[in-house]
Amino acid sequence: MNAVIDHSAEGAVAIPANAEAQQLSRKKAEKIALENNKLHKRLCRLVGQAIGDFNMIEEGDKVMVCLSGGKDSYALLDILLTLRERAPIHFDIVAVNLDQKQPNFPPEILPAYLTELGVAFHIENQDTYSIVKRLIPEGKTTCSLCSRLRRGILYRVADELGATKIALGHHRDDILETFFLNMFFGGKLKGMPAKLVSDDGKHMVIRPLAYVKEEDTERYAEVKNFPIIPCDLCGSQENLQRKQIKAMMRDWDKKFPGRVESIFSSLANVAPSHLMDPKLFGFTDLKTDGVPNPMGDIAFDEEPCATPTPFGATITLQSL
């Protein structure tokens, strides 16, 4: 019988090969469990931080979690349920799914999952699929009309359920993709905020996953084995502009580590006086007052940043 020598304890001990395999398997399982636990803690920390930073959830709130059947909304519901148990305040959660009557949509999956979870839920049945297919020519992007129809329906459902907050599963990457889409194709510096009043002025929309990377929701979905439901209405549209932006960001992540994080941080570190929107800053009425201002224009200097030297090192202009 083959054997291996275990030197981990005092003295050498012969261990049968099959015992070694079991030991390696056990250690691998323990490592995976540890990583999974770290992931769960990280998600709870990031979601909790976003909720705190933007005062998303308050005492007595009824949070309507929009559950699409995708990885992100599953992760959002799961983490909010965990945080509700730990929170120093009381708030209720109701999961809502809009069944848009897409082909091959399995209507039994979400009710079964939510019933087993013991979560209050509501399934809203509305055939928006037929409307979109009737109005949008074949091959054209359906997202815009689909989202408008879905938004109106969910606002109504929120009213009917008495929800005080509408929670959406958009994560950090969604927010950045929206920022670039607006800049590249819409000529706007506009993103997807973590908290904002809805366009009808009646509802508070929150995005508790605002600080969470998409790769973490992907991994978490695997760990939790969520019953993912694909979107057959738009999932086959491979040439969407958002997918192009997503590919660009993933390429940046590989080639320039830290760039995406820096861009995301910039969304919360805005200097209106250094942009060009007169609606945000009073350029027309601007006067000199003789008072030094660190945010004033530094004229002929470059903005302080890390600049490459001829020798490959970097120096900061402010230090010169």
Side-chain angles (χ1 to χ4, degrees), residues 16 40 44-45 58 68 89 103 139 164 188 195 200 207 215 223 246 268 300 312 318:
H40 181 254
C44 287
R45 175 177 55 81
E58 301 168 272
S68 66
I89 62 172
T164 55
K188 297 179 182 178
K195 177 184 179 183
D200 66 358
R207 296 179 171 88
E215 65 183 53
V223 170
K246 187 185 293 289
F300 305 105
Q318 279 183 319

Side-chain angles (χ1 to χ4, degrees), residues 8-30:
S8 60
E10 293 184 6
V13 179
I15 300 177
N18 62 339
E20 182 205 22
Q22 292 177 4
Q23 187 179 49
L24 290 174
S25 178
R26 185 170 61 254
K27 287 183 178 180
K28 182 178 180 181
E30 290 173 353

Side-chain angles (χ1 to χ4, degrees), residues 15-304:
I15 300 177
N18 62 339
E20 182 205 22
Q22 292 177 4
Q23 187 179 49
L24 290 174
S25 178
R26 185 170 61 254
K27 287 183 178 180
K28 182 178 180 181
E30 290 173 353
K31 182 178 179 180
I32 291 174
L34 179 62
E35 291 301 317
N36 292 345
N37 186 51
K38 284 183 180 179
L39 174 60
H40 181 254
K41 287 184 175 180
R42 180 165 68 252
L43 291 177
C44 287
R45 175 177 55 81
L46 291 172
V47 172
Q49 182 182 345
I51 290 173
D53 286 351
F54 294 92
N55 191 31
M56 292 186 189
I57 300 176
E58 301 168 272
E59 175 69 38
D61 268 339
K62 186 172 186 178
V63 182
M64 185 177 102
V65 178
C66 297
L67 194 65
S68 66
K71 63 180 179 11
D72 305 320
S73 59
Y74 274 124
L76 172 62
L77 176 62
D78 188 272
I79 298 301
L80 284 181
L81 289 173
T82 298
L83 294 180
R84 185 180 62 173
E85 298 302 315
R86 305 173 180 175
I89 62 172
H90 170 79
F91 64 93
D92 294 318
I93 292 175
V94 56
V96 171
N97 171 255
L98 173 57
D99 184 346
Q100 299 176 265
K101 302 305 175 186
Q102 298 175 21
N104 305 317
F105 182 84
E108 72 285 351
I109 288 182
L110 284 173
Y113 173 78
L114 294 168
T115 298
E116 183 178 355
L117 206 58
V119 178
F121 69 92
H122 171 77
I123 306 296
E124 181 70 15
N125 294 284
Q126 296 287 337
D127 188 4
T128 62
Y129 176 81
S130 296
I131 297 174
V132 170
K133 298 303 287 185
R134 185 176 74 249
L135 297 179
I136 302 296
E138 190 68 30
K140 298 294 183 179
T141 300
T142 61
C143 296
S144 179
L145 176 59
C146 179
S147 63
R148 288 201 305 273
L149 293 171
R150 185 170 61 245
R151 183 168 67 243
I153 293 169
L154 291 173
Y155 286 170
R156 173 180 57 78
V157 172
D159 287 335
E160 293 173 354
L161 295 176
T164 55
K165 302 287 172 60
I166 299 176
L168 304 179
H170 297 126
H171 45 64
R172 185 205 70 172
D173 297 64
D174 288 324
I175 291 172
L176 280 173
E177 288 163 17
T178 299
F179 171 73
F180 285 120
L181 282 169
N182 281 315
M183 183 166 58
F184 292 168
F185 304 107
K188 297 179 182 178
L189 281 180
K190 177 183 175 184
M192 183 185 285
K195 177 184 179 183
L196 195 65
V197 173
S198 61
D199 59 333
D200 66 358
K202 299 177 181 179
H203 306 91
M204 187 66 72
V205 178
I206 60 175
R207 296 179 171 88
L209 296 181
Y211 294 160
V212 175
K213 297 179 182 180
E214 183 175 21
E215 65 183 53
D216 280 347
T217 64
E218 289 174 346
R219 173 62 184 150
Y220 196 64
E222 294 174 359
V223 170
K224 301 291 289 189
N225 195 28
F226 294 136
I228 303 298
I229 302 174
C231 177
D232 291 330
L233 178 59
C234 61
S236 60
Q237 295 176 322
E238 296 297 334
N239 296 319
L240 295 180
Q241 292 170 336
R242 183 174 290 274
K243 291 190 176 182
Q244 298 173 25
I245 297 294
K246 187 185 293 289
M248 177 191 75
M249 287 172 50
R250 291 195 169 179
D251 186 55
W252 281 351
D253 238 357
K254 292 177 182 178
K255 294 181 179 178
F256 311 103
R259 172 180 289 186
V260 173
E261 284 76 8
S262 180
I263 295 171
F264 184 73
S265 296
S266 74
L267 297 182
N269 190 18
V270 179
S273 61
H274 287 53
L275 298 176
M276 296 179 64
D277 189 342
K279 297 186 296 297
L280 292 180
F281 188 79
F283 294 105
T284 56
D285 299 323
L286 195 60
K287 299 287 191 294
T288 59
D289 58 12
V291 178
N293 181 356
M295 287 299 293
D297 201 306
I298 52 177
F300 305 105
D301 294 349
E302 294 289 339
E303 280 294 310

